[in-house]
Amino acid sequence: MNILLGVTGGIAAYKSLELVRLFVKAGHDVQVVMTSGAKEFIQPLSFQALSGHPVRDSLFDANQEAGMGHIELARWPDVIVIAPASAETLAKLRMGRADDLLTTLCLATDRPILLAPAMNRLMWQNAATQENLEMLANRGFEIMKPGSGEQACGEVGEGRLPEPADIFSATESLVASLQPDPAWQILPEFWKGKHLLITAGPTFEDIDPVRFIGNKSSGKMGYAIAEAAAQAGAEVTLITGPVALKVSETIRKVSVRSAQQMFESVQENYASCDVFISAAAVADYRISKPKLQKIKKTDGQDDLTLNLVKNPDIVKWVAEQTPKPYVVGFAAETEKLETYAQDKLKRKNLDMICANSVSGGKGFEQDDNALLLLTESRQKNLLRAPKTRLAKSLLVFIAESISETE
Ligand code: C5P
């Protein structure tokens, strides 16, 4: 694989030498681009010796034919990795500036870009940096979390460059996540014209006008399934609890808040769907009588009891209907994953269940996950991968399972 490594100004730049060594050892071809700041910390010759290519640092290179070296270089890599990524470079990338070779390449490329930030802890925490990172993440940059600990400046905190071995693995998984699952190629034929109904995200159960009971669901899994299904040519309706995710315009999105509202929306939409995927983390209970006014704390009253009543089990209800769509549920378990998932598959009369382990907070609010897929007759382990990739593998498994029973 061709890796373009951008090195920006920071004391951590020396660690990127080790990163080049790891890439080269794994058989990758590496070209290094340094900013002028980076050259203050480390000699280009060191990178040249390890990568076997002269370091590129100039936007205007008379040796490049047609003087268009940056465009030709932008097309060369399979992935761009910037390590360390300084606060200054993050700010420039966020603004779309192109005043040096590295930022110009990032503007002129359509390849994935991995950022491994490193800076002083206060620079890292600064709202400007955090806002830049958020914007870059929304634009599709892959951003690693810096390490925490003693910093070169003598302070202690977050902002250390992630270990070269971790940047190496993050690069490999980023590239792997972009490779299509071979089975994905056959899918569009299967999904074209099929209607998928998907629930996603948490539900919020109001206590009073300002408080609610919720859960940790980010909605990322359900949204990833919706996007993948739409990409495969399906007609998708996404019923979503409150989350801050965006969705493509081709997806019909219905926003709800409570389990009761989600249930009503599913009742309105299920009849026309071929497959129902229940990825939402529906609250099992709601407040029996939410207060119309804010509950005041009363002096001398140390306990407050909330009376909860059970919410409808939406996925179970859909599975009880005749005719019914192909019904896929999720099971988040902290222990005995397969046993509990098998039990849920039968008890809710589902066609398929996707079990994931949530022990120690795994699975929630994260970009990747691992799933165990179960039907009555089939089973498949999907190893830890980005949810976007899992979504595709899940759609492949559903398509195969439906085709088998038809
Ligand atoms: O019973 P449990 O909540 O573990 O089951 C999880 C599955 O059931 C998920 O697919 C979830 O979306 C669905 N569910 C539901 N309605 C509920 C509770 C869970 O559809 N009230």
Side-chain angles (χ1 to χ4, degrees), residues 175-191:
V175 173
S177 73
L178 300 167
Q179 308 297 328
D181 183 331
W184 178 248
Q185 309 302 335
I186 58 150
L187 271 190
E189 280 317 305
F190 178 87
W191 288 110

Side-chain angles (χ1 to χ4, degrees), residues 199 278-280 282-284 311-315 329-331 344 348:
T199 63
S278 183
V282 186
D284 290 325
N311 271 327
D313 191 318
I314 304 171
V315 76
F330 274 73
K344 212 165 277 181
K348 299 198 184 199

Side-chain angles (χ1 to χ4, degrees), residues 85-154:
S86 64
E88 165 71 3
T89 296
L90 297 179
K92 287 208 281 194
L93 291 174
R94 186 252 169 101
M95 290 179 73
R97 295 197 55 172
D99 65 349
D100 61 17
L101 180 60
L102 184 60
T103 47
T104 305
L105 288 175
C106 291
L107 265 191
T109 194
D110 56 1
R111 309 297 144 85
I113 303 176
L114 174 73
L115 302 174
M119 64 200 72
N120 163 273
R121 68 179 176 95
L122 292 173
M123 292 172 79
W124 170 255
Q125 283 166 13
N126 194 293
T129 304
Q130 290 301 319
E131 219 181 281
N132 291 339
L133 287 163
E134 194 184 331
M135 182 68 87
L136 291 169
N138 286 341
R139 278 194 218 139
F141 284 76
E142 189 76 18
I143 300 165
M144 292 186 76
K145 247 178 92 66
S148 208
E150 199 172 322
Q151 301 201 294
C153 53

